[in-house]
Structures are given as C-alpha cells and as structure tokens.
Amino acid sequence: MDKLPRRKKLRVNSRLARLLEPGGRSVQDLIVDGYAPAQMIQDLRKYQAELEIQNQALRYSQQEAEGASERFSTLFSNVPLALMVVDEEGLVLASNAMALRLFQPQESDPPLNFLLPFVGSEHTDVVAVAFLSAKAHGTAEVSEVNFLAGSEGHFTGDLHIARIENPQDELAHFICATIDQGPLLAQRQALQQSAAVLRQRNEDLLLSENRMAAIINSSLDAILCIDERHCITVFNPAATALFQCPADQALGSALSQFLPDVQRVLEAGNLPNPAVLGEYRAVTLRGDDIFVEISVALERRALGPTSALPPDNLLQDRRRDARRAQGAITTIFARDLTARKLAESQRLTLENQLRESQKMQAIGTMAGGIAHDFNNILSAILGNVSLATQDVPPGSVALTSLQEIDKAGRRARDLVRQILTFSRNEPPKRIPIDLTEVIEETVHLVKVAMPPTVKLRVKLARDCPAVLADATQVEQALLNLCTNAFLAVGQSKGKVTLDLDTQELVWPDTERLGIAPGQYAVVTVSDTGSGMTAQTLSRIFEPFFTTRQVGQGTGLGLSVVHGIMQTHQGAVDAQSTLGTGSAFTLYFPTTQEKVLAAPAPTPSSPDASGNGRTVMYVDDDQALVFLVKRVLTRKGYAVVTFTDPHTAHAALRANPKSVDLLVTDYNMPGYSGLDLLREVKAIRPDLPVALASGYVTPELESRARAEGADALIYKPNDVNELCETVERLIQWPVDHDDHDD
C-alpha cells in the first residue's frame, strides 16, 4: 500500500474508513464499486498495522504527558520559590511548600485559601490592580508588598503574576511567584549604610585634606614635597619665606636648587622612614647660604581598584589626582636654625661669661686668702719699721729709708684692703677726694717703672671739683692704664699723656657711655703706641682677653678699670687707631662735698706705760706674735702669746685671773676669734677682749659687739694705734655702750 500513489492511497484509506465506520457502507457495496476482496483484505491488514503504530505513539505520548505532569508537580512543589495558582477571584487553587512556609509557617495559622487576606491593607488595592493587569496583558509585577505571615508577623516580598490558559473554566487562572525580599532588603540597607559610611569617609577625607593643607600652610617649618624625580610638588608659605622664593616659581623645580646636599642623601637611599637627617646647608633663591635642620618622611602611593567606588565627582577628581601622584612622595621638613644658632652663640657667650665669672670668683677667693696672709706680713713689716724708727736717732740716714718703707707699706695696706673688698664683692668706701692729689701720687709710682724711651706728660686743670671715690681704686685704675700705655709704646720712642679736666656731658654722649647727664671730672691717659684694630677694641674690657704673649699680661687690667668705673657710677671710653695710638678716658661724677683733711699722724710715745699689766695675744702668724710681744713689752706690758687658740683657752681656764686683757685674731685656721671670745666671756665676763681682723665689715662689727667684744683692731695698723687701744682697755673700766675701733 505504501507503493501506491498518494492519491490512490488516500482513496483506499477513505474506502476502508467508510467500511469500518459505524453505519458505513458494506463490503458488497465496495465490491460493486470495483474494490476486490483480496485487495481489501490486504489493505485492512496494513491499516490495522498503522493503527497499532499510532496506538503505540499515543501510549508513549500519554506516558510522556504523565511524566511531564509529575515533573511539573515535583518542580512546583520543591522549587525554592513561593508559587501559587490563583484564579481571578483570588482563590488559591494550588500552592507549593515554600508558599505554605511563608504564609502559613505554623499549622495553627490561617490556611492559604485566598491570597488577598494575606496582603497588607496598604497594598491590597495595588495587588488587585496587578491581577487585572495580568488578565489583560498576561503579566504584572508588584514590588515590596507587605504580606502577612501568620505567627511570624509579616514579611516583605515581590509579587510576580502570569496568566495561564484555562480552557475548562471561564475564570482566568494565574500563577503567582512571591520572592521574599527580607535578605535582599537587609543587604540593600547594608549597602546603603556602606554608601553612607563611604560618603562620610569621603567627607572626612576631604576635611582631613583641608586640615592638612591648613597645617602645612600655617606651619612655622618649611615643608617641601618631592616626587620620584626629586621635583618639588608642595612648597608651603614658610618655605617661601625661608628660601625667599615664590611658590609658583619653586613648584616643578629640582630639590637641588634649594637643598643640594639633601638631594644627594636621598639619591643614596637606605634611609629609615621617617628619618631625622640633622643640620644641612640650604641655598636661597638669591644664592645665600643658610643652615636648616632636615627631617624626611617617605610615602609610597599606589592606585587601587576604583570600580566599586560611587561615581561621584569628588572621587573622580581624587582618582585623577591619585593617577598623577602615583609613586613615591617624599616630604621634607626644613627648620630654620638661624634663631637657634643665634641662641647657641648667645649661650656660648653666656657660658664663657659664666666661666670667666667663676674664674674671677676663684681669683677673688684666692686673693682674699692671699691678702689675709699678706696682711699679717704687712703688720710685721710696719710694726718692725715703727720699732726701728724709734731705735734710730733723729737725723740718721736710715731714718729716711725707714720712712719710705713705712709709706710703701701703708700703700700696700690700702691695696690689700681693696683686694679684700674685691674678693668679698662689697662696694668700696667712697669719700670726697681731690683727683689732683691722687694723680700726682700715681705719677710718682709710675715714674719708677717707666721705660727710658717714653716721655710722660701731665696736664692738670686748676680748681677741679672733688669726686666721690676710693682713692686706692682710682690709683689702681690709673696705674693699669699707664702700664698699658708704656707697653703699647714698646721699645720705640713715644709719649704718654695724663690729663685732668672738667666736662659737662649731655645727650647723646651720656647715652653712649651709659651715664647720667651732668658735670664730670675727666681723666685721659693717651699714648703714641701701636694702636688697636676695631675687633680688638671691641673686646678689650672682657676679662682675661689679651693680645700679649704668655707672661706679659693676664687680661684683667682693663676689666678691672671697667669694674672700678662702674662702682663709681662713672664710665670708661676707649679710642684707638692702628699705628697711631690709643686714648682711655675716665669719667668721674663730681660732688659739692668738701674734701676731708688727712688726720695728723699720732706722735710716737716711747715711754713705757704698761706698769706690768698682762696682755694675752693670740694669732696664728708667728711673725706677728713676735712683733706684738716686742712692741707691748717695750711699752711695759707683760705679754703672753699663743699661736694656738685652743692652748690659749686652756691657759685661761686654768688661771682666769692671770690676764688683764685678751687680744685675739678673728680668722684662724679651723677656729674663729668669736668662738674664743665666747668661751672666754663664759669663763671671765669682766675680762676686756679686743678682736683683730684684716677686714672689718659692718657685719663683723655687729657680731663682735653682740658677743661682748670691747674693741675692734684693724690689721695692719701701726704699733701706736695698737698700743693706744691696749692702754685704753686696761687703764679704764670698759664701757660697753661706747667702743672705739
């Protein structure tokens, strides 16, 4: 049958169909129509085979349909998505496990029969409209619908609606998919919070950058940033002032233009981060050298991924800046050391002054100790001179020499007193004096040491007013200036001039000299020597400064002169020209007080007046003890001497009535005359006691009187003054309200 033409096959099939149809034509009818029985049987068999094949296909299709239905049911039930089949009236025809889990988490919760009761009231109308839209257009969606979830409260989800064909019912059917948006909303909120945090960080970063820019711009240190090529990218205002270069001109230039040594160190590498490099030389735009302290910090910037960042303009600008600044950025901090170096110089100057002051203090202490011992020597010299003068007959040639020795000794005594005053840093005793007499006395002294090649010229003005001064200190200042003038002239012929005049000083001279306006006695010592340079002239009054060779000077002469003039409320001025000579001018303020007349010398009285009275003399100097014993013995006293105050104290304790007068030195090694005075008064309160000292101060006088001393004796006085004090204390009862020194 398969080999028959298609038209004939269709005709046979149609015949067989009419034969097999109920109420169809009979076989006879077909035979009449010319359809042979054999052919008919053959065709029927073939048709039967085809029907069996079609039945097998139908059974296979039915099995496939049933499998697809089962697979759909399995997928519908197990898909992790809440699915429901809902008609247009809201009746839930079918729902999967996920839908039941969302809408009916507990068995006691209301059953999922209708969808709209599970929709929040605020979204009911929206969902109803969505169903109408799906019926008309096939699909509809509603986002973030608030659904009721029984005992779980509620959840937020998206509702997707799709219309499905339903030929068996007039009502439209829909398949609804509900997607729980809770995790997505939490993630969305987290992303929103992250975005808010990111925006805040960006704002903080911008604020930090602005703050950093403000700090850099307001920093007192110069701040420079350089890139990998050592080109300047940041140049703050302090750097502009330090290097004297505008910022726009410095940006882009090489670091070596301002800090060449620092650039070489950076090129060498191997620096810690951060690093303090220390002091370096810097160059300003004008080429001036300055010194700065350098610190560096290295920052390596790398451009990271930016695809996840919000695409706002601020971040885009920062990305662009990051691309430009990608690489190593070195920040250099340069601190100007000008003020520090000035302070260091001042500190060194102050340290030098302190050391010199300590030297002066040490010298003063040493001078005080030497002067104390020298006082005793002078006392012995003057005492023996006095005794020798008494032994020499009038008109003797030796008498003149003894008188000169006495005069020199008294001058030495005054110098010792001045040294003691200097060592104890006490103001000198200023009295009205006549500078003419002091200058004339000084001239006699300097002529002895004046070189033969130097001519001394003295010009003294008449009627020069008196000045308040210590004659010994004025004499010392003049001696120092004259000695310096002789040394300045040297071995060549020259002249030294000593002038005295009166001058009225006004501004601006008084301001330059640092003294008050008024009338001054002016003493000038000038020479025609070698002169000084301006640098030397600026330092001549510094202690220990000298231009002489070792052994020719200590550098204290002019500093002593300067100190003497300050204590006299005056001033010293120096002028010098190299190769021409120098002139030193002393300004003493004048006074209207009258010059006191010198006391007449007390005539010596060789007559003995001791009458055998006993005097105990205690002093640690053996020569002075020997002198006093001779002097007082010659005066008729019985003298008991001790060089050890402890031995003297023991002798008085053993026999308190054996002594009529005690004379004790104040300063003895390891023992004070005040201690001995105190112990003696405890043994015998009525015993007269005289205290001897080479330096009698108001404090010492007050303490001595408080301890019960009856008299104070200044060493070295002449022997007559000593004898008068001893005689007064022994002959008359002691009146403690009236003491003579």
Side-chain angles (χ1 to χ4, degrees):
M1 186 174 180
D2 293 335
K3 296 181 180 180
L4 295 176
R6 179 178 179 81
R7 182 175 300 174
K8 186 175 182 180
K9 182 187 294 186
L10 290 176
R11 185 170 62 249
V12 171
N13 288 339
S14 63
R15 290 176 181 176
L16 291 175
R18 285 195 300 272
L19 177 63
L20 296 176
E21 287 179 358
R25 298 179 63 187
S26 60
V27 177
Q28 291 78 9
D29 294 333
L30 293 175
I31 294 174
V32 174
D33 291 336
Y35 192 41
Q39 183 66 35
M40 182 182 302
I41 292 171
Q42 186 179 0
D43 291 340
L44 285 174
R45 288 176 179 173
K46 292 182 178 180
Y47 186 70
Q48 181 180 1
E50 290 181 359
L51 287 177
E52 289 178 358
I53 293 173
Q54 291 178 1
N55 287 334
Q56 290 178 357
L58 287 175
R59 284 194 299 269
Y60 179 78
S61 298
Q62 183 178 1
Q63 291 176 358
E64 289 295 326
E66 291 176 355
S69 177
E70 290 178 0
R71 287 194 298 272
F72 174 77
S73 298
T74 303
L75 180 63
F76 181 81
S77 300
N78 299 320
V79 69
L81 191 66
L83 297 178
M84 296 173 289
V85 178
V86 183
D87 62 13
E88 61 179 314
E89 292 182 352
L91 178 64
V92 178
L93 302 176
S95 58
N96 66 352
M98 182 61 73
L100 293 177
R101 191 182 305 167
L102 285 176
F103 292 97
Q104 191 182 0
Q106 301 292 335
E107 292 182 359
S108 58
D109 292 334
L112 183 59
N113 295 329
F114 289 90
L115 179 61
L116 291 180
F118 287 87
V119 178
S121 58
E122 66 274 18
H123 295 111
T124 302
D125 295 338
V126 177
V127 172
V129 172
F131 273 101
L132 295 176
S133 177
K135 183 178 180 181
H137 303 93
T139 59
E141 294 181 3
V142 183
S143 300
E144 297 185 9
V145 179
N146 185 22
F147 292 102
L148 303 179
S151 58
E152 297 295 332
H154 59 85
F155 69 92
T156 301
D158 294 344
L159 180 62
H160 298 267
I161 305 172
R163 182 170 55 83
I164 58 178
E165 298 297 334
N166 183 25
Q168 300 178 358
D169 197 347
E170 295 181 357
L171 294 177
H173 288 183
F174 306 92
I175 185 168
C176 299
T178 304
I179 302 175
D180 186 6
Q181 295 291 339
L184 295 178
L185 289 177
Q187 186 177 6
R188 185 184 303 172
Q189 291 176 356
L191 290 175
Q192 291 175 350
Q193 292 177 356
S194 299
V197 171
L198 183 59
R199 284 193 296 271
Q200 183 63 39
R201 288 181 179 177
N202 291 335
E203 293 176 359
D204 294 342
L205 180 60
L206 180 60
L207 181 62
S208 177
E209 289 180 351
N210 294 335
R211 187 183 298 113
M212 183 61 66
I215 293 174
I216 291 175
N217 290 333
S218 61
S219 174
L220 299 179
D221 294 337
I223 299 179
L224 299 83
C225 293
I226 58 174
D227 56 18
E228 289 183 329
R229 299 176 301 165
H230 295 154
C231 294
I232 298 175
T233 59
V234 174
F235 203 76
N236 73 335
T240 300
L242 177 62
F243 297 106
Q244 301 175 5
C245 177
D248 55 353
Q249 188 173 348
L251 294 176
S253 60
L255 178 65
S256 59
Q257 180 178 355
F258 304 104
L259 297 167
D261 298 335
V262 175
Q263 179 166 335
R264 284 192 289 270
V265 172
L266 294 178
E267 290 174 349
N270 298 326
L271 291 176
N273 187 26
V276 179
L277 302 184
E279 182 178 334
Y280 280 85
R281 181 182 65 89
V283 183
T284 64
L285 183 63
R286 297 185 301 182
D288 299 331
D289 287 344
I290 57 176
F291 290 92
V292 293
E293 185 180 38
I294 298 297
S295 301
V296 297
L298 179 63
E299 177 186 2
R300 183 168 296 279
R301 299 181 181 179
L303 184 64
T306 58
S307 58
L309 298 177
D312 53 40
N313 294 332
L314 178 61
L315 289 180
Q316 290 176 358
D317 294 340
R318 290 178 180 170
R319 291 174 193 166
R320 182 177 61 254
D321 295 339
R323 292 189 183 96
R324 292 176 180 175
Q326 185 177 6
I329 299 297
T330 303
T331 303
I332 301 173
F333 304 89
R335 177 167 296 179
D336 187 8
L337 294 182
T338 303
R340 181 184 298 181
K341 283 188 169 293
L342 180 60
E344 182 71 14
S345 176
Q346 294 175 349
R347 184 183 65 81
L348 293 176
T349 302
L350 292 176
E351 286 181 355
N352 291 332
Q353 292 178 355
L354 178 60
R355 283 194 293 268
E356 301 302 335
S357 176
Q358 291 173 344
K359 289 181 183 178
M360 295 296 292
Q361 184 177 4
I363 289 176
T365 303
M366 181 181 65
I370 295 174
H372 174 267
D373 294 338
F374 193 58
N375 240 344
N376 295 335
I377 298 173
L378 285 176
S379 296
I381 293 174
L382 291 176
N384 283 286
V385 167
S386 178
L387 292 178
T389 302
Q390 295 175 13
D391 295 337
V392 173
S396 173
V397 179
L399 183 61
T400 303
S401 299
L402 291 174
Q403 291 175 348
E404 290 298 322
I405 294 174
D406 182 73
K407 184 185 299 183
R410 292 178 183 275
R411 186 177 295 112
R413 179 189 64 185
D414 294 337
L415 288 175
V416 168
R417 183 184 303 172
Q418 177 185 342
I419 293 174
L420 289 172
T421 301
F422 171 76
S423 65
R424 289 167 175 80
N425 197 23
E426 294 184 1
K429 295 180 179 179
R430 297 167 57 200
I431 59 174
I433 63 171
D434 185 359
L435 283 178
T436 303
E437 297 179 359
V438 176
I439 293 175
E440 290 175 348
E441 186 69 22
T442 304
V443 169
H444 289 298
L445 293 175
V446 299
K447 283 184 177 180
V448 178
M450 186 174 63
T453 57
V454 177
K455 181 179 180 181
L456 179 63
R457 179 184 177 186
V458 181
K459 295 192 299 183
L460 303 178
R462 297 181 179 180
D463 301 328
C464 183
V467 297
L468 287 175
D470 186 314
T472 304
Q473 287 198 353
V474 175
E475 184 176 331
Q476 180 183 359
L478 294 177
L479 282 173
N480 289 344
L481 293 179
C482 291
T483 302
N484 286 344
F486 296 154
L487 292 175
V489 174
Q491 300 299 325
S492 59
K493 292 185 178 181
K495 180 174 63 176
V496 175
T497 304
L498 201 159
D499 292 341
L500 172 63
D501 202 351
T502 305
Q503 184 176 352
E504 189 77 22
L505 293 182
V506 295
W507 188 88
D509 292 334
T510 54
E511 182 179 6
R512 178 178 60 86
L513 296 172
I515 54 179
Q519 189 180 44
Y520 287 82
V522 181
V523 180
T524 303
V525 178
S526 58
D527 62 75
T528 59
S530 58
M532 295 176 286
T533 63
Q535 183 179 3
T536 302
L537 186 64
S538 64
R539 300 187 59 191
I540 57 174
F541 295 115
E542 295 180 9
F544 302 100
F545 174 76
T546 179
T547 57
R548 301 174 190 165
Q549 297 178 358
V550 178
Q552 295 186 358
T554 61
L556 288 173
L558 292 178
S559 64
V560 170
V561 173
H562 185 268
I564 290 174
M565 296 311 298
Q566 282 189 329
T567 59
H568 285 75
Q569 299 179 359
V572 55
D573 187 23
Q575 295 179 353
S576 181
T577 303
L578 190 63
T580 302
S582 305
F584 290 85
T585 305
L586 308 180
Y587 295 90
F588 294 91
T590 60
T591 180
Q592 299 298 324
E593 299 182 28
K594 299 297 182 180
V595 178
L596 300 179
T602 304
S604 60
S605 177
D607 298 335
S609 57
N611 296 324
R613 299 291 184 92
T614 303
V615 177
M616 178 181 285
Y617 185 77
V618 183
D619 199 303
D620 61 310
D621 188 275
Q622 184 66 44
L624 198 58
V625 168
F626 178 72
L627 170 67
V628 171
K629 185 173 183 178
R630 289 180 60 204
V631 170
L632 294 181
T633 300
R634 181 173 293 191
K635 289 291 185 178
Y637 295 98
V639 183
V640 181
T641 59
F642 294 92
T643 56
D644 184 3
H646 298 284
T647 306
H649 178 222
L652 277 174
R653 182 181 293 277
N655 191 0
K657 296 295 185 179
S658 63
V659 177
D660 298 306
L661 173 66
L662 172 64
V663 179
T664 177
D665 186 21
Y666 167 69
N667 190 8
M668 291 176 286
Y671 204 84
S672 171
L674 289 178
D675 296 333
L676 182 59
L677 170 63
R678 192 180 304 111
E679 294 173 353
V680 168
K681 287 294 183 179
I683 298 173
R684 184 180 168 187
D686 62 333
L687 179 66
V689 179
L691 195 66
S693 175
Y695 187 70
V696 179
T697 63
E699 180 184 1
L700 175 59
E701 184 177 359
S702 176
R703 292 178 58 191
R705 292 184 183 278
E707 296 292 343
D710 299 292
L712 289 174
I713 301 175
Y714 174 72
K715 297 190 305 182
N717 278 351
D718 55 34
V719 292
N720 289 330
E721 293 178 2
L722 173 64
C723 293
E724 287 177 0
T725 302
V726 171
E727 185 177 358
R728 177 175 58 82
L729 294 178
I730 287 183
Q731 295 296 333
W732 291 279
V734 178
D735 183 2
H736 292 282
D737 295 331
D738 185 16
H739 299 287
D740 295 333
D741 296 341

